[in-house]
Each structure stands twice: as structure tokens, then as C-alpha cells.
Amino acid sequence: MYSKTRSKAVVIIVTVFSAVVSNFGVEKIVKLAVPLLVTVYPVVIVLIVLNIFDEFIKNKNCYAGAVYLTLIISIVDGLAAIGLNLKGVQNFVAKLPFASAGFAWILPAIIGLIIPLIFSRKQEA
């Protein structure tokens, strides 16, 4: 368990951090948060959806495949959100279905889900 000293230290650190960040203003906070959120949210959404259908997913490698491919696309989107220009990669991602709506990660997630299923069936045969 945590000691009272450690708990007090955590409370002080969080309070000081919050006080500093609150002085940045909403625009800067949003500007800092967007790249992180663009990167993390698709992975979280994929994990939630896979968890809903967990009883139907026999091969647990499907989780890894879907999450890794989603993460790759999300990282590219996150880097684009901070202004890093990866022309070739961003052009590829922009051509994916639903990319114009911010959902370029959907097709890679589905592919990452299906590939482990195909390989597991080949191994069973």
C-alpha cells in the first residue's frame, strides 16, 4: 500500500502540475492534447469494440494485430496533428477509406483482426 508521505507527494505534484497547466489557456491546452488524443483514441475504441465481442474472438492474436495496425495509423495522424510532414506516409493514409472523416484507422484495424484468423486456420489444417 501507499504510505501517507507518498500520497501527499502525489497530491502536491498533481496540484502544482494542474496549477501550471491551467495558466496556459484553453487554446494551448487543446493544442497540446489533440495529437495525444488523435493517437490514443482509435486504439482505445478498437480495444473496447474487441472486448465487446471477446467471446466470439477465439484467437487472441487478433487483439494485437488490430491494435498494432491501428496504432501505426494513429501515430501518423498524431504526427500530422503536431505539424510533422511525412508526405509519402500521409498520402497513403489519406487514401484509406474514411480518412477524410478522421477514421483512417478502421480498415487497418479490420485487416489486423482478420490476418491472425487466416494464419490460425492455415495452421489448424
Side-chain angles (χ1 to χ4, degrees), residues 3 6 26 80 91 96:
S3 65
R6 182 179 279 174
V26 175
N91 288 339
L96 290 171

mmCIF file of all heavy atoms in Angstrom, residues 3 6 26 80 91 96:
data_model
loop_
_atom_site.group_PDB
_atom_site.id
_atom_site.type_symbol
_atom_site.label_atom_id
_atom_site.label_comp_id
_atom_site.label_asym_id
_atom_site.label_seq_id
_atom_site.Cartn_x
_atom_site.Cartn_y
_atom_site.Cartn_z
ATOM 1 N N SER A 3 2.139 4.798 1.287
ATOM 2 C CA SER A 3 2.255 5.468 2.573
ATOM 3 C C SER A 3 1.631 6.856 2.461
ATOM 4 O O SER A 3 1.383 7.372 1.373
ATOM 5 C CB SER A 3 3.733 5.594 2.955
ATOM 6 O OG SER A 3 4.396 6.442 2.040
ATOM 7 N N ARG A 6 3.899 9.255 0.542
ATOM 8 C CA ARG A 6 3.830 9.108 -0.910
ATOM 9 C C ARG A 6 2.539 9.724 -1.448
ATOM 10 O O ARG A 6 2.552 10.391 -2.474
ATOM 11 C CB ARG A 6 3.916 7.643 -1.298
ATOM 12 C CG ARG A 6 3.896 7.444 -2.808
ATOM 13 C CD ARG A 6 4.012 6.016 -3.184
ATOM 14 N NE ARG A 6 5.419 5.639 -3.130
ATOM 15 C CZ ARG A 6 5.862 4.405 -3.294
ATOM 16 N NH1 ARG A 6 5.006 3.422 -3.495
ATOM 17 N NH2 ARG A 6 7.131 4.137 -3.249
ATOM 18 N N VAL A 26 -6.855 27.791 -22.599
ATOM 19 C CA VAL A 26 -7.559 26.685 -23.231
ATOM 20 C C VAL A 26 -6.968 26.349 -24.595
ATOM 21 O O VAL A 26 -6.804 25.179 -24.934
ATOM 22 C CB VAL A 26 -9.070 27.008 -23.350
ATOM 23 C CG1 VAL A 26 -9.787 25.925 -24.125
ATOM 24 C CG2 VAL A 26 -9.687 27.176 -21.981
ATOM 25 N N ALA A 80 0.947 14.172 -37.785
ATOM 26 C CA ALA A 80 0.387 15.195 -38.674
ATOM 27 C C ALA A 80 -0.285 16.301 -37.859
ATOM 28 O O ALA A 80 -0.230 17.478 -38.236
ATOM 29 C CB ALA A 80 -0.612 14.566 -39.636
ATOM 30 N N ASN A 91 0.213 10.676 -47.427
ATOM 31 C CA ASN A 91 -0.551 10.499 -48.663
ATOM 32 C C ASN A 91 -1.209 9.121 -48.697
ATOM 33 O O ASN A 91 -2.354 8.982 -49.121
ATOM 34 C CB ASN A 91 0.338 10.690 -49.892
ATOM 35 C CG ASN A 91 0.716 12.137 -50.105
ATOM 36 O OD1 ASN A 91 0.054 13.040 -49.620
ATOM 37 N ND2 ASN A 91 1.803 12.354 -50.826
ATOM 38 N N LEU A 96 -6.829 6.017 -47.493
ATOM 39 C CA LEU A 96 -7.591 4.960 -46.841
ATOM 40 C C LEU A 96 -9.062 5.376 -46.710
ATOM 41 O O LEU A 96 -9.375 6.562 -46.598
ATOM 42 C CB LEU A 96 -7.016 4.669 -45.452
ATOM 43 C CG LEU A 96 -5.655 3.995 -45.434
ATOM 44 C CD1 LEU A 96 -5.096 3.972 -44.013
ATOM 45 C CD2 LEU A 96 -5.726 2.592 -45.985
#
